[in-house]
Amino acid sequence: MDQKKKAALAIVIAVAMMVGWLLTGCSNENKVNSVQLIVNGTKLEGQAPAMIQNDRLMVSAQYLEQAFDKQYDLFNMSSSNKSVYYSEQVAVLMYHDIAIKPQSDGIIAVERFKKQMQLVKQNGFQVITIEQYINFMQGKGHVPDNALLITFDDGYESFYKLAYPILKEYGYPAVNFVIVSTIDDRTKPGTPKLTWDQMREMQQAGMSFMSHTFDMHRYGAVNEHGNEAPVMSKLNYDKQKKKMETKAEYVERLKKDLLRAEDRLKSELGNKVSTLAFPYGAYSEAVLELTKAVGIPITFTTKEGINSKFHHNGFRINGARAGETEDELFRKLKGDHSAKLFIDEKEFPDIHFSEKSGTEVQMIALRDIANYYDWKIYWRSDTKQVEIQTKQS
């Protein structure tokens, strides 16, 4: 290799090393007390408290809140008290049908359900009502440590005959999300459903009954090829007319169904709050916006996790999963004990942060935020300046 090529190669290597050093902040041991942020060419007021942690430039969350008008919240699930698994959060148990001797997966045996309710008590979970859950989610109240909500889907009559006596024995409230059309029309085929009278009786003992839609708990055609999906989550295909549903027709269909279910629940049971469990757990961002528009601010899917006050579309943990032991189930209910970061009430699992004491966020990885928002960022360690170009520039 001639001298010119060697010199050029050396320059390339040096530049690459310098770029890597600038991007990572050089090393874990490098101490940075503060940095100057320059956003779209304008220097922001004041210095941002900063540090290098695990090769990441970490900047004060409080400063970022002011600089970018965003709200940062950290929920720390760890606790020095081993009997407290989480605070200001709610785990939600999900069931469907219950039987003495289940004939298929997804149906929980009575004895297993009773054992789980016993374990709920032994493990120190505090069972709350759906009304408490909704108030908590809307910022109108708090929940106890280890708060647990018990839910059933589909409105099967077995809830009245088999689950309700056990729930009463332990003094636990629960909510059942009913398919309202199957309550109104007793001639519909399938597993027997609850009656309005049974629900009114159970209401007196703390049970609640909410919407699982009026008549959208089914699959339907979504194209001319016969492919099917939950009818609530996608535009439907009309086989007779051989045409796709328009967006306007879709919106009108969902609004009509949801409001019809709410009207029946209010007229029969006197419901004063509204919530919805999505059939099959299927939803989209458009569906979430629509449910809010018709007055249903809190919804549930079937994804597993623990809910903070920002999870308005709540996680639920399946209590009847085939092959899962009670130990495995209760490990899920107790959570993973990792802190969770929210920005503007949305969870950001891929952004690194360091905790202060209690529930404060001390520092947040600036490049992680920039990557999420697709901002360009340049960290100049020699002058301790960070230049950021946002999409709006």
Side-chain angles (χ1 to χ4, degrees):
M1 183 182 294
D2 60 34
Q3 293 299 318
K4 289 186 178 180
K5 288 184 178 180
K6 286 183 179 180
L9 181 59
I11 292 173
V12 169
I13 293 173
V15 170
M17 291 175 65
M18 179 64 72
V19 169
W21 184 76
L22 291 176
L23 291 180
T24 63
C26 69
S27 74
N28 288 345
E29 290 73 31
N30 194 347
K31 306 298 182 183
V32 179
N33 295 321
S34 63
V35 294
Q36 173 70 62
L37 294 190
I38 303 172
V39 180
N40 300 327
T42 301
K43 284 187 178 182
L44 301 187
E45 292 184 6
Q47 295 282 312
M51 61 182 281
I52 296 294
Q53 185 181 77
N54 296 326
D55 293 334
R56 292 183 176 86
L57 176 64
M58 312 292 286
V59 176
S60 161
Q62 184 178 8
Y63 186 92
L64 294 177
E65 282 187 333
Q66 297 171 352
F68 297 105
D69 192 26
K70 295 186 181 298
Q71 177 185 342
Y72 296 86
D73 294 279
L74 173 69
F75 289 88
N76 189 351
M77 295 183 68
S78 62
S79 171
S80 58
N81 185 345
K82 292 185 179 180
S83 65
V84 176
Y85 315 123
Y86 49 80
S87 299
E88 290 301 303
Q89 298 176 88
V90 184
V92 183
L93 263 174
M94 177 183 68
Y95 303 98
H96 289 76
D97 204 356
I98 181 171
I100 296 174
K101 292 183 178 181
Q103 300 299 310
S104 62
D105 290 344
I107 303 175
I108 191 167
V110 170
E111 287 306 312
R112 185 183 180 193
F113 179 70
K114 188 169 184 176
K115 176 63 176 177
Q116 288 182 6
M117 295 302 99
Q118 181 183 11
L119 289 170
V120 164
K121 183 176 182 178
Q122 290 177 354
N123 283 273
F125 286 96
Q126 302 297 313
V127 181
I128 64 172
T129 67
I130 187 65
E131 289 79 11
Q132 286 176 281
Y133 182 87
I134 293 172
N135 285 339
F136 169 65
M137 286 292 167
Q138 295 183 318
K140 299 176 183 178
H142 298 278
V143 291
D145 293 340
N146 306 337
L148 177 69
L149 179 68
I150 300 172
T151 73
F152 278 74
D153 283 5
D154 301 336
Y156 293 119
E157 188 179 44
S158 62
F159 178 75
Y160 176 74
K161 292 184 175 180
L162 301 175
Y164 174 49
I166 297 171
L167 292 166
K168 275 202 305 182
E169 177 184 344
Y170 285 91
Y172 296 157
V175 57
N176 198 313
F177 295 98
V178 302
I179 308 164
V180 180
S181 64
T182 64
I183 310 299
D184 278 343
D185 185 359
R186 310 301 297 175
T187 65
K188 280 183 174 286
T191 307
K193 301 298 194 296
L194 295 167
T195 68
W196 292 116
D197 284 341
Q198 288 170 337
M199 285 187 267
R200 279 187 282 267
E201 176 189 336
M202 288 187 283
Q203 272 187 320
Q204 302 305 310
M207 306 303 137
S208 300
F209 302 89
M210 299 287 163
S211 176
H212 206 25
T213 75
F214 185 82
D215 190 28
M216 289 194 287
H217 194 285
R218 53 191 171 84
Y219 276 66
V222 293
N223 56 39
E224 68 274 19
H225 305 297
N227 298 111
E228 294 191 339
V231 298
M232 186 177 191
S233 62
K234 294 182 180 295
L235 299 179
N236 287 186
Y237 178 76
D238 190 321
K239 294 180 180 179
Q240 292 184 333
K241 296 180 180 179
K242 296 183 178 181
K243 63 182 288 290
M244 284 295 299
E245 183 177 42
T246 66
K247 185 176 180 180
E249 290 170 338
Y250 171 72
V251 169
E252 184 60 28
R253 172 169 64 84
L254 265 61
K255 286 175 60 177
K256 183 178 179 180
D257 181 285
L258 294 173
L259 291 173
R260 189 176 181 185
E262 290 301 309
D263 287 344
R264 293 295 295 130
L265 289 165
K266 287 174 184 176
S267 63
E268 291 287 349
L269 304 176
N271 281 9
K272 291 181 170 48
V273 295
S274 299
T275 182
L276 167 77
F278 290 117
Y280 315 104
Y283 66 95
S284 65
E285 289 300 319
V287 170
L288 289 175
E289 290 301 319
L290 184 59
T291 56
K292 292 176 185 176
V294 298
I296 306 174
I298 306 300
T299 55
F300 291 90
T301 182
T302 56
K303 294 180 180 178
E304 294 192 337
I306 307 293
N307 300 298
S308 75
K309 65 181 179 180
F310 298 137
H311 288 114
H312 291 176
N313 185 31
F315 300 121
R316 293 193 289 171
I317 295 171
N318 188 353
R321 189 178 298 281
E324 185 173 77
T325 68
E326 273 30 90
D327 284 345
E328 291 170 333
L329 170 63
F330 276 79
R331 277 198 293 271
K332 288 181 182 178
L333 291 176
K334 293 174 183 179
D336 60 10
H337 299 278
S338 62
K340 299 181 186 299
L341 175 67
F342 290 78
I343 302 178
D344 288 342
E345 302 189 359
K346 181 178 179 181
E347 186 175 353
F348 280 71
D350 298 324
I351 292 181
H352 294 81
F353 57 90
S354 64
E355 303 172 39
K356 203 175 180 180
S357 60
T359 58
E360 293 183 46
V361 179
Q362 183 182 26
M363 299 287 183
I364 297 179
L366 189 56
R367 183 167 294 281
D368 289 351
I369 292 178
N371 288 342
Y372 178 83
Y373 289 109
D374 199 22
W375 295 342
K376 293 180 180 179
I377 182 171
Y378 306 93
W379 159 227
R380 304 191 184 283
S381 62
D382 55 341
T383 59
K384 292 186 179 179
Q385 290 183 330
V386 181
E387 296 183 15
I388 297 173
Q389 293 290 327
T390 72
K391 287 184 176 181
Q392 289 73 36
S393 63

